[in-house]
Amino acid sequence: MPEYFLGIDGGGTSCRAAVSDRSGTILGRALAGSANISTDLDGALQTILAVSREALEQAGLDPDLVLYPAYLGLAGSMTGQAGERLKQHLPFSGCEVRSDGLIALEGALGPKDGMIAILGTGSLFMARQDSEVRALGGRGFLLGDHGGGARLGRALLEECLLACDGLRSFTPLLERTMAGFEGDVSSVIAFAKSSAPSAFAAYAADVFKAAGQGDEAALQILGEAARLINLSLDKIRFEGCEALCLLGGLSKSYKLWIAAHHRELLREPEGDGLTGAISLAIRTFG
Amino acid sequence: MPEYFLGIDGGGTSCRAAVSDRSGTILGRALAGSANISTDLDGALQTILAVSREALEQAGLDPDLVLYPAYLGLAGSMTGQAGERLKQHLPFSGCEVRSDGLIALEGALGPKDGMIAILGTGSLFMARQDSEVRALGGRGFLLGDHGGGARLGRALLEECLLACDGLRSFTPLLERTMAGFEGDVSSVIAFAKSSAPSAFAAYAADVFKAAGQGDEAALQILGEAARLINLSLDKIRFEGCEALCLLGGLSKSYKLWIAAHHRELLREPEGDGLTGAISLAIRTFG
């Protein structure tokens, strides 16, 4: 049985690594930039190797990666063969590459069964019962991710333009949003053309706040997002499911929008994706 | 009064020029690539100069542009100052730069008043009464253009992914569409990421055909698009309006979806944007 274990949580904006002993006590950590294997496999590989070595050095351990087993949870590894291709280039003594959703689930629930909803820029749902895992969502900004902040922001700007054209009524939220563009429709269009999903997601907080004040446009946008979130939870929920953790930047905001039969399962997450990766590394290779 | 007149119709995919005599008889024509002043002002300028000279040469006239007045209808000239900037570099003896919508309206209705709906990849609405002009739509694929084919295609693919996730029921249209991707969700996402609006719009014909067969998803998608089209026509319609022309690649398909109080105004367009530009050149400079 190995003495030390690497866990890696690689997302679209940052990649974190940790090394632990057999008890799961974390001895060293490191943080680097994004590691998205579906958009940049080579860059992701280099980032993963560097951040792993740095975590080992932080722990005062030999940074030769061939000495350690690693469990990787990576964004973009749920579709396509990128995860398998990456695995061929990894030098670890043992290695498992799964989705960042799976390590988030392990981190939130520990070894227990249940489900998670990751509600950040995008939206992703996972449930586990025994060894069976169900996943839903995370399809990206353009066609999916209906519960994510980026879609909320895009829907807000779309309603703004409809209001400017007189095709729907203005609400205080739409007025405030247009004021942020000095009332200029072409600025809204230019923003939309040049912005990443995260920039759209920056409007999500405004939408939630306005909904709390009864803003009709905010309630409409969130009502549709929440409908699809609750439908997704219905779809992945196993019979007898006892726990639901909301994760991601919008987890607190969405709490009130979760349907009652899911809300009664809500609990705080035990840990994050990185502790989940460590825990899975120990379960897999220990 | 000048003896000859130039008309120019510059869109996102092609730029056409024609030269006519005082009676409006077209003596020469030419066609070139795109001339989008909002995305590439310099390139658009060179295209406009070249295609104008070629039309004059076709007509057997002196290709020196300073000898002729020109009326230009250009995509992307409705927002921003690009049209004014372009005008400063144009050598014509007289020159007017307006939107491609305005020359389309003139081409369709002649000097008469009325309204047009341009339903192609995007959607744009214009109405004219005396010298007053109202315009609506044409905001682009991401936030607007709700009646355009690109939005219909995007909505179709979005419903496909919801069906694949079990969040809505499959219909024959959704099944056929997914069969085109060999049932592979990641292929749909890859297509959406790499495709221009025109590629999404290629699905519009399928949506109309399926709606004719009672397909529930197609009826839902077109119902929402038609709702916004009819609302837009309500918004721009002048009191006493007597004519409505549908233009663009989806004009025939949408005929059945136009609300009865607008449908009774429908008539065939007299001409296209290029004949409209010629007619406006003669009215303006003649």
Side-chain angles (χ1 to χ4, degrees):
Chain A
M1 183 180 171
E3 210 164 335
Y4 303 104
F5 301 84
L6 277 164
I8 291 150
D9 180 3
T13 52
S14 70
C15 181
R16 299 181 302 154
V19 56
S20 81
D21 61 19
R22 286 175 191 169
S23 75
T25 302
I26 288 178
L27 308 172
R29 292 171 177 274
L31 172 74
S34 73
N36 193 321
I37 58 172
S38 64
T39 57
D40 178 13
L41 188 66
D42 258 12
L45 174 64
Q46 297 311 321
T47 301
I48 287 163
L49 299 181
V51 79
S52 300
R53 283 192 201 101
E54 199 186 325
L56 290 163
E57 281 163 4
Q58 285 283 328
L61 295 170
D62 185 340
D64 188 353
L65 302 179
V66 301
L67 301 172
Y68 311 92
Y71 200 103
L72 293 82
L74 302 181
S77 56
M78 298 200 35
T79 55
Q81 275 75 53
E84 280 309 306
R85 284 211 306 277
L86 177 76
K87 219 171 149 176
Q88 294 165 10
H89 297 285
L90 292 173
F92 305 109
S93 67
C95 178
E96 194 72 54
V97 178
R98 303 296 290 273
S99 75
D100 52 350
L102 195 70
I103 58 169
L105 181 138
E106 173 80 17
L109 300 170
K112 291 190 296 289
D113 286 333
M115 55 184 177
I116 57 168
I118 309 180
L119 302 165
T121 302
S123 58
L124 179 71
F125 307 90
M126 294 193 85
R128 185 175 65 190
Q129 180 121 306
D130 303 323
S131 60
E132 193 184 345
V133 172
R134 294 175 182 161
L136 208 66
R139 307 292 201 195
F141 173 59
L142 195 59
L143 298 179
D145 276 345
H146 297 85
R151 286 293 296 260
L152 299 181
R154 189 177 97 191
L156 170 61
L157 297 183
E158 189 159 352
E159 294 303 313
C160 279
L161 295 195
L162 290 175
C164 290
D165 278 348
L167 302 182
R168 67 153 295 145
S169 51
F170 267 103
T171 70
L173 172 63
L174 302 183
E175 276 165 5
R176 279 197 301 275
T177 306
M178 282 310 298
F181 290 97
E182 291 172 345
D184 180 22
V185 165
S186 56
S187 297
V188 179
I189 298 169
F191 169 86
K193 273 189 181 162
S194 65
S195 291
S198 56
F200 286 89
Y203 284 97
D206 293 349
V207 178
F208 279 104
K209 191 176 165 203
Q213 296 159 346
D215 188 281
E216 189 263 318
L219 291 169
Q220 173 197 325
I221 292 167
L222 279 173
E224 177 58 12
R227 187 182 73 80
L228 284 165
I229 288 173
N230 286 307
L231 214 52
S232 300
L233 290 173
D234 287 339
K235 197 71 202 170
I236 61 162
R237 182 170 170 164
F238 286 97
E239 183 126 7
C241 174
E242 287 181 1
L244 165 63
C245 290
L246 304 185
L247 310 174
L250 300 179
S251 52
K252 281 193 178 54
S253 307
Y254 263 124
K255 220 167 243 180
L256 289 171
W257 293 84
I258 301 299
H261 64 291
H262 296 308
R263 206 190 303 169
E264 63 189 23
L265 307 181
L266 276 178
R267 60 192 59 195
E268 288 304 308
E270 290 185 8
D272 63 6
L274 193 56
T275 59
I278 286 288
S279 144
L280 281 165
I282 296 172
R283 282 238 301 281
T284 307
F285 303 107
Chain B
M1 182 178 171
E3 211 164 334
Y4 302 104
F5 301 85
L6 277 163
I8 291 149
D9 180 4
T13 51
S14 69
C15 180
R16 299 181 303 155
V19 57
S20 82
D21 60 19
R22 286 176 192 168
S23 75
T25 302
I26 289 178
L27 309 171
R29 293 170 177 274
L31 173 74
S34 73
N36 193 321
I37 58 173
S38 64
T39 56
D40 178 13
L41 188 66
D42 258 13
L45 174 63
Q46 296 312 320
T47 301
I48 288 163
L49 299 181
V51 79
S52 300
R53 284 192 201 100
E54 198 186 325
L56 290 163
E57 281 164 4
Q58 286 283 328
L61 295 171
D62 184 341
D64 187 353
L65 301 180
V66 301
L67 300 173
Y68 310 92
Y71 200 104
L72 293 81
L74 302 181
S77 56
M78 297 200 37
T79 55
Q81 275 75 54
E84 280 310 305
R85 284 211 305 279
L86 176 76
K87 219 170 148 176
Q88 294 166 10
H89 298 285
L90 292 174
F92 304 109
S93 67
C95 178
E96 195 72 56
V97 178
R98 304 296 288 275
S99 75
D100 53 349
L102 196 69
I103 59 168
L105 182 137
E106 174 79 17
L109 300 169
K112 291 190 295 293
D113 287 333
M115 54 184 178
I116 58 168
I118 309 181
L119 302 166
T121 302
S123 58
L124 179 71
F125 307 89
M126 293 193 85
R128 185 175 65 190
Q129 181 121 306
D130 304 322
S131 60
E132 195 185 342
V133 172
R134 295 175 182 161
L136 208 66
R139 307 293 202 195
F141 173 59
L142 195 58
L143 298 178
D145 277 346
H146 297 85
R151 286 295 295 260
L152 298 182
R154 189 178 95 191
L156 170 61
L157 297 183
E158 189 159 353
E159 295 302 315
C160 279
L161 294 195
L162 289 175
C164 290
D165 278 348
L167 302 182
R168 67 152 294 146
S169 51
F170 266 103
T171 69
L173 172 63
L174 302 183
E175 277 165 6
R176 278 197 303 273
T177 306
M178 283 310 298
F181 290 97
E182 292 172 344
D184 180 22
V185 165
S186 56
S187 298
V188 180
I189 298 169
F191 169 85
K193 273 189 181 163
S194 65
S195 292
S198 56
F200 286 89
Y203 285 96
D206 293 348
V207 178
F208 279 104
K209 191 177 166 204
Q213 296 161 344
D215 188 281
E216 190 263 318
L219 291 169
Q220 172 197 325
I221 292 166
L222 279 173
E224 177 58 12
R227 186 182 74 82
L228 285 164
I229 288 172
N230 286 307
L231 213 52
S232 299
L233 290 173
D234 287 340
K235 197 70 201 170
I236 61 163
R237 182 170 169 162
F238 285 97
E239 183 127 7
C241 175
E242 287 181 2
L244 165 62
C245 290
L246 303 185
L247 310 174
L250 300 179
S251 53
K252 281 193 178 53
S253 307
Y254 263 124
K255 221 167 243 180
L256 288 171
W257 293 84
I258 301 299
H261 64 291
H262 296 309
R263 207 190 303 169
E264 64 189 21
L265 306 182
L266 277 178
R267 60 192 60 195
E268 288 304 308
E270 291 185 6
D272 64 7
L274 192 56
T275 59
I278 286 288
S279 145
L280 281 164
I282 296 173
R283 283 239 301 280
T284 307
F285 304 108

